[in-house]
Amino acid sequence: MRSAARSVLLLAISYLLFAIFISPPLARAQTVYSNTPSARAFTVPNVDSDVPQNQHTYTQAVTIEVLSAVICQITGIDPVDPSTGCLGINPQ
């Protein structure tokens, strides 16, 4: 039993060392994104001009859009704009 526990411990430690020192990082804090107008259109919420442009507003806008997308996929009706259809998979 001790041998199995040592093997598991050694495997866990080697995995952590590999994940920390050898594998490339998954998230990069200093990533520079394109600053073109078309790229900015997806990163700025579509709100009135008197609404502050801060992280709180952005988080609320993203939450509303995610909930809208889930409801749209379940019901087939977009709650934000019922006259438009839902996005789906294009098999072509």
Side-chain angles (χ1 to χ4, degrees), residues 32-51:
V32 177
Y33 294 102
S34 174
N35 202 17
T36 61
S38 62
R40 276 183 280 151
F42 289 109
T43 60
V44 178
N46 186 12
V47 294
D48 289 338
S49 60
D50 61 339
V51 176

Side-chain angles (χ1 to χ4, degrees), residues 17-31:
L17 290 174
F18 175 79
I20 292 171
F21 295 110
I22 298 174
S23 67
L26 297 176
R28 301 196 188 279
Q30 301 299 323
T31 304

Side-chain angles (χ1 to χ4, degrees), residues 24-92:
L26 297 176
R28 301 196 188 279
Q30 301 299 323
T31 304
V32 177
Y33 294 102
S34 174
N35 202 17
T36 61
S38 62
R40 276 183 280 151
F42 289 109
T43 60
V44 178
N46 186 12
V47 294
D48 289 338
S49 60
D50 61 339
V51 176
Q53 298 289 323
N54 56 24
Q55 187 175 8
H56 184 70
T57 303
Y58 181 75
T59 303
Q60 288 185 33
V62 169
T63 303
I64 290 169
E65 289 298 325
V66 168
L67 291 174
S68 171
V70 169
I71 292 170
C72 191
Q73 293 301 317
I74 292 172
T75 64
I77 300 169
D78 188 1
V80 175
D81 187 7
S83 64
T84 62
C86 301
L87 291 178
I89 298 172
N90 185 357
Q92 298 171 346

